[in-house]
Amino acid sequence: MGVTKNFFIGLSKNQALNSAAKKWGLKLGAGKVVAGTDIKSMMQSVKELNANGISATIDSLGEFVHTEEEATKAKEAILKTLEAIQIYGVNAHMSVKLTQIGLDIDTAFCLKNIQEIVAAAASYDIFINLDMEDYDHLQQTLDILKTLLQEYENVGTVIQAYLFRSEKDVENLQNVRLRLVKGAYKESAEVSYQEKKEIDENYLKLIKIHLQAPGYTSIATHDHHIIEQVKAFVKEKNISLDRFEFQMLYGFRSEMQKDLAKEGFSFTTYVPFGKDWYAYYMRRLAERPQNINLALKSMISK
């Protein structure tokens, strides 16, 4: 399993394949987990989710950003998507990767871009979630979040349970809307738990801490064991259902998503779209190798 995960993580970082994938369209099974390559097709998917009582957090995909021109183009695509959320009147917010808008180029430049995005979102009453990336970008992301929170309330971030420091980070962000995840990157044993059991235990611990804090909690998992334990905990502690939501990725466990919404739980689906789908899809295969079968079937049927 570890070898397979490392293989797909490696593929996700291959810029040549990423560039080629932009010309392929949604192939290799990616159409199952990426909601179209343009705003129109993505919005249709969001409308279908909304019809089932499910909200969306939209990700305008984009990676391997090395120039200010590329970062500015990505920022403009995000602003266009925010405008579309307003125009289409859908129940949705956005998730943004800071590297996509220049974090690796210049921190001040990136901050200016995300300030523009958060300000535009605030004018539409739309929330912006700063997606968390690998450990090397963690502190930079939290520093930018801190700066944004001095002026805006419509912004939060993601905390990854496999990192040793995450409990302290959650405690420092008690008043902030957080998406809690197990973690999708490969990190060293110096900074992260390596065993599934340890990660699961820490994940549940972080969820319980933040559910009892003032900030809103987004519990992003496909693990039904975790979900059942959360249900029992909120019932035991009498935590209001409007204090948290469950989240899952677009195209995964769709029936469970609908069922949780029908049970009365707030639910949000992470909806990625765009031509730059390749790296995102490879990471999903790395996380869930059983989806390799899905990719193989797709290739064979072409």
Side-chain angles (χ1 to χ4, degrees), residues 30-59:
K32 302 286 187 183
V33 299
V34 177
T37 56
D38 57 29
I39 285 177
K40 186 177 180 181
S41 55
M42 176 272 292
M43 281 295 172
Q44 185 56 44
S45 299
V46 173
K47 284 182 177 180
E48 290 170 9
L49 290 169
N50 286 176
N52 284 295
I54 296 171
S55 181
T57 181
I58 300 168
D59 179 4

Side-chain angles (χ1 to χ4, degrees), residues 82-98:
L82 283 171
E83 184 181 19
I85 292 172
Q86 178 76 2
I87 291 170
Y88 280 80
V90 292
N91 181 0
H93 65 270
M94 285 201 73
S95 292
V96 177
K97 283 184 173 60
L98 292 179

Side-chain angles (χ1 to χ4, degrees), residues 9-21:
I9 289 289
L11 286 180
S12 75
K13 297 176 181 177
N14 189 307
Q15 296 185 37
L17 288 174
N18 184 71
S19 296

Side-chain angles (χ1 to χ4, degrees), residues 98-99 103-104 107 110-111 130-149 157-160 163-170 172-173 187 191:
L98 292 179
T99 56
L103 186 59
D104 288 336
T107 305
C110 176
L111 177 59
L130 304 184
D131 269 352
M132 192 57 73
E133 302 180 67
D134 60 12
Y135 188 78
D136 290 340
H137 294 99
L138 170 58
Q139 192 57 52
Q140 287 175 294
T141 302
L142 294 181
D143 289 345
I144 286 176
L145 173 67
K146 185 177 179 181
T147 300
L148 292 168
L149 287 169
T157 193
V158 181
I159 298 297
Q160 302 173 106
L163 297 176
F164 297 145
R165 62 172 283 177
S166 290
E167 183 175 349
K168 186 175 181 181
D169 288 334
V170 168
N172 289 337
L173 296 166
E187 303 293 357
V191 299

